[in-house]
Amino acid sequence: MGEELSERKRKILHAIIQNYLETGEPVGSRTISKYTDLNLSSATIRNEMSDLEELGYIVQPHTSAGRIPSDKGYRLYVDELMQEKEDEIAEIRDLMIERTDKMENVLKQVVRVLASNTNYATMISVPQGTSNRLKFIQLSRVSELQLLAVVVAEGNLIRNKIIELEEGMNDETILKLNLLLNTNLNGLQIAEINFGLIAKLKEQAGIHSGVVATVLDEVAKMIEFEEEPEIYTSGATNIFKYPELSDSTRASELISAFEEKKQLVELVKDTMDEENTGIQVYIGDESPIQNMKDCSVVTATYQLGNGMQGTIGIIGPKRMDYENVVDSLKTLKTQLDNIFNKKT
Amino acid sequence: MGEELSERKRKILHAIIQNYLETGEPVGSRTISKYTDLNLSSATIRNEMSDLEELGYIVQPHTSAGRIPSDKGYRLYVDELMQEKEDEIAEIRDLMIERTDKMENVLKQVVRVLASNTNYATMISVPQGTSNRLKFIQLSRVSELQLLAVVVAEGNLIRNKIIELEEGMNDETILKLNLLLNTNLNGLQIAEINFGLIAKLKEQAGIHSGVVATVLDEVAKMIEFEEEPEIYTSGATNIFKYPELSDSTRASELISAFEEKKQLVELVKDTMDEENTGIQVYIGDESPIQNMKDCSVVTATYQLGNGMQGTIGIIGPKRMDYENVVDSLKTLKTQLDNIFNKKT
DNA sequence: GTTAGCACTCCTTATTGCTGAGTGCTAATA
DNA sequence: TATTAGCACTCAGCAATAAGGAGTGCTAAC
């Protein structure tokens, strides 16, 4: 593990990986001999490659084939070899966020553009977080025994919930409840809505405390731990562009992972847990998602002002164009920050 | 076209199709000879099959292979041969609509259950219609220059829309607007909101008519022609269960049709246009969707009280189990009717 | 009208042989 | 000692060939 690689070995490994990223075919010694400016014969390259294989950075699919990078090789590439193009402020093509529309639409558009730009499968999670501030709450009667609760949080995150009542409620009561809820809750972060406050509200509701309790329960539950983050995906069929992923069983598993979204939720949670705020790269087995052992997953966390955050992810073959992907995610991240933060 | 088929030919055709539905392999004369209770030798069957081929009901993939049904054959099967199991009130397994939750959730669950029961890809469209009645409208301030409009229609169809204001608006005005809108619009069908009414409302809004106009525009546009019906899908990866659909290009096209949903919208529109309220079966080329020439599509329209309606669809290989599919859709259709109509 | 029999077709699968890319090793070279 | 040329060897991929088998169409007999 700890062996230092000679500069030459690093160069050769770099060349192998880059070549493989482009072609998807095992790369042989002769190719490297010509491809690099090292001016070494294929025989020498062969010796070095033999070493690299022994060290676990590359792998031979079968005797008398070229070499392909192992997970360990990719890891080294991503961590050290790959050059980040810090400066080029690459504009995400075609990304025109039209208006301050519902966040839902913005996210759907973002994920679609990202997929069509990168040619990989993409996902984005609706921002979540415990320190999100309430903008306002509105209860309205929808029918005799149903209330509609609309909750708006910062960033124009809107949630509806139909609340079933056990018994009727007159308009005045609803008005009072609205007043009560909004006076006490608006502007608060979720974390600040504690049991004490809830008890206080119940008390103030007087005879209607029973009803208030259920309403509060619903409201609290709805936002506080909106159990599963919602996720939008796009470009799942891009995986068919990579032969190594597109045999039918593998493809089926991958795509249904995108359809179900359950596993993606795991991915989001995993990404969130890491304190790391930057870009994360999961290579093969490193991925928290079972079905993606043959893929690489690159994720980024984007912030929404007050501790609210979501995850963007790109899923593709191990030989994905890491440089560009990481780059795209970086700029997208900042763009998202801007979009959501410019409107208070 | 008009030739009447002898009873024997019909039986043989029926047998061929049923066998092919099960196996997916071309079926030969010997198989039929044993499979049926006709007690005919394979030679006789061969003669009949030769006739059936000439009439266009079956087709030979290559010389010296068995026969498979042509689109025309399937059509006859669906229209005449197939026995509808009218009586068995087949319960859709596991379909437990838990609560009067948001319609969105109900639909998502329905489509998922249907997919897992049938092993085909499924879709459902959110009900739409011009004769839908408004339950109520609610405008609320979200920030200085943003209003949130919440519109609830019958069946608890909820829509949110952020409306941008050009200039600020005080609370009183908003209150008035709400009163105005609700007094005049609640309980109306969309069709009843005409230009006359709109003009009247604008007038009543007095000095704020400018703002009211935009608000009304937004509200009207939002419901009247909610441009594209929303569509939920499930089980797209089921197509991998049918080898004839799962080669990578075909699969990719199909699945991306499910991902994009654009084409599904066409399908929904097409289904709606047909005056036919029952079950529709599109076989191969009959389908309005380009990419589904190799599939069959079965759709049903479900009603929601006042002329509002949505579409359920099942997409699978041509050799789909028509009997069960049609049956499932029928019962599901009535179940949906019940779910949505029991709560006014 | 039905059936047995037979020649024929052609898909499928397995076998074989060949080619070419690529390796590993050894011996010669700088 | 590091590099290189040369050579024998391996093996996936491909094409050509062969064997097997399912199924048909036709003819002649029942």
Side-chain angles (χ1 to χ4, degrees), chain B residues 30-292:
Chain B
R30 238 179 85 81
T31 313
I32 299 301
S33 165
K34 283 184 292 185
Y35 191 74
T36 61
D37 50 356
L38 292 172
N39 279 332
L40 293 174
S41 79
S42 62
T44 313
I45 304 287
R46 273 203 289 284
N47 293 330
E48 295 288 51
M49 281 167 86
S50 185
D51 292 353
L52 283 172
E53 178 160 21
E54 203 164 349
L55 292 171
Y57 291 104
I58 52 181
V59 137
Q60 227 177 350
H62 58 264
T63 12
S64 84
R67 306 301 213 290
I68 64 175
S70 68
D71 285 10
K72 186 176 171 188
Y74 282 124
R75 174 49 62 198
L76 186 76
Y77 175 74
V78 170
D79 288 345
E80 304 181 26
L81 269 32
M82 177 173 102
Q83 295 155 12
E84 309 198 23
K85 18 182 168 171
E86 287 287 13
D87 301 343
E88 283 184 47
I89 306 170
E91 205 66 31
I92 301 277
R93 275 167 291 154
D94 303 328
L95 180 57
M96 303 272 286
I97 305 293
E98 284 157 2
R99 295 164 40 101
T100 318
D101 218 336
K102 276 204 304 184
M103 177 184 281
E104 185 183 323
N105 293 334
V106 174
L107 297 184
K108 279 181 182 172
Q109 203 182 341
V110 164
V111 81
R112 189 166 311 161
V113 169
L114 188 60
S116 85
N117 277 344
T118 59
N119 274 319
Y120 300 120
T122 58
M123 50 141 283
I124 195 165
S125 79
V126 174
Q128 238 196 344
T130 50
S131 54
N132 184 34
R133 277 178 206 282
L134 280 182
K135 245 174 169 174
F136 91 125
I137 298 176
Q138 175 90 48
L139 299 178
S140 334
R141 182 205 305 293
V142 163
S143 70
E144 188 58 31
L145 289 177
Q146 290 178 320
L147 288 185
L148 169 69
V150 179
V151 180
V152 181
E154 276 183 344
N156 288 341
L157 191 61
I158 306 171
R159 298 250 117 213
N160 305 309
K161 177 84 181 177
I162 297 277
I163 297 173
E164 304 283 338
L165 296 177
E166 310 238 319
E167 55 189 53
M169 199 186 242
N170 64 36
D171 286 350
E172 199 184 343
T173 315
I174 296 177
L175 211 60
K176 274 186 191 161
L177 275 180
N178 266 320
L179 203 59
L180 187 65
L181 289 171
N182 279 290
T183 338
N184 286 283
L185 299 179
N186 280 10
L188 290 190
Q189 298 187 357
I190 306 293
E192 296 175 289
I193 306 179
N194 50 32
F195 283 106
L197 182 56
I198 293 177
K200 181 184 138 203
L201 285 179
K202 277 190 198 170
E203 174 150 348
Q204 290 197 15
I207 45 171
H208 293 294
S209 80
V211 180
V212 171
T214 38
V215 171
L216 266 179
D217 270 9
E218 286 294 346
V219 171
K221 199 195 304 168
M222 173 167 48
I223 333 178
E224 182 194 6
F225 248 158
E226 189 202 323
E227 332 81 48
E228 308 280 84
E230 204 167 350
I231 290 180
Y232 305 121
T233 63
S234 179
T237 46
N238 277 334
I239 68 167
F240 285 109
K241 289 177 180 154
Y242 309 97
E244 65 266 44
L245 297 180
S246 59
D247 73 293
S248 90
T249 55
R250 216 185 307 267
S252 169
E253 276 180 10
L254 275 175
I255 292 184
S256 86
F258 270 82
E259 210 186 12
E260 303 290 349
K261 288 173 185 169
K262 258 198 181 146
Q263 305 193 65
L264 296 181
V265 170
E266 293 307 311
L267 179 62
V268 169
K269 284 182 181 159
D270 198 272
T271 310
M272 296 283 202
D273 287 350
E274 308 275 342
E275 290 300 308
N276 188 345
T277 245
I279 311 276
Q280 264 177 287
V281 180
Y282 303 88
I283 297 164
D285 282 326
E286 300 168 8
S287 160
I289 302 185
Q290 276 293 337
N291 292 340
M292 300 193 177

Side-chain angles (χ1 to χ4, degrees), chain A residues 27-181:
Chain A
V27 14
S29 55
R30 239 179 84 80
T31 313
I32 298 301
S33 166
K34 283 184 292 186
Y35 191 73
T36 62
D37 51 355
L38 292 172
N39 279 329
L40 292 174
S41 77
S42 62
T44 313
I45 304 287
R46 273 203 289 284
N47 292 331
E48 294 288 51
M49 282 166 87
S50 185
D51 291 353
L52 282 171
E53 178 160 22
E54 204 164 348
L55 292 171
Y57 291 104
I58 53 182
V59 138
Q60 227 175 347
H62 59 265
T63 12
S64 84
R67 307 301 215 290
I68 64 176
S70 68
D71 287 9
K72 185 177 171 189
Y74 281 124
R75 173 49 62 198
L76 186 75
Y77 175 74
V78 170
D79 288 345
E80 303 182 25
L81 270 30
M82 176 174 104
Q83 294 155 13
E84 307 198 25
K85 20 183 168 173
E86 287 288 14
D87 300 343
E88 284 185 48
I89 306 171
E91 205 65 31
I92 300 277
R93 275 168 291 154
D94 303 328
L95 181 56
M96 304 272 286
I97 305 294
E98 283 156 5
R99 296 163 40 103
T100 318
D101 218 337
K102 278 203 303 183
M103 177 186 281
E104 184 182 323
N105 294 334
V106 174
L107 296 184
K108 278 182 182 171
Q109 203 183 342
V110 164
V111 80
R112 191 166 310 161
V113 169
L114 188 60
S116 84
N117 277 342
T118 59
N119 274 318
Y120 299 120
T122 57
M123 52 140 282
I124 195 166
S125 79
V126 174
Q128 239 195 343
T130 50
S131 55
N132 184 33
R133 279 179 203 281
L134 281 182
K135 245 176 170 173
F136 90 124
I137 299 176
Q138 175 89 49
L139 299 178
S140 334
R141 182 205 305 293
V142 164
S143 71
E144 188 57 31
L145 289 177
Q146 290 178 320
L147 288 185
L148 168 68
V150 179
V151 180
V152 181
E154 275 183 345
N156 287 341
L157 192 62
I158 306 170
R159 298 250 116 213
N160 306 309
K161 176 85 183 178
I162 298 276
I163 298 174
E164 305 283 340
L165 297 177
E166 309 239 318
E167 57 189 52
M169 198 187 243
N170 65 35
D171 286 351
E172 199 183 346
T173 314
I174 295 178
L175 211 62
K176 274 188 193 161
L177 275 180
N178 267 320
L179 203 61
L180 187 65
L181 289 171

Side-chain angles (χ1 to χ4, degrees), chain A residues 179-199:
Chain A
L179 203 61
L180 187 65
L181 289 171
N182 279 289
T183 340
N184 286 283
L185 299 179
N186 281 10
L188 290 189
Q189 298 186 0
I190 307 294
E192 295 174 292
I193 307 179
N194 51 32
F195 283 107
L197 182 56
I198 294 177

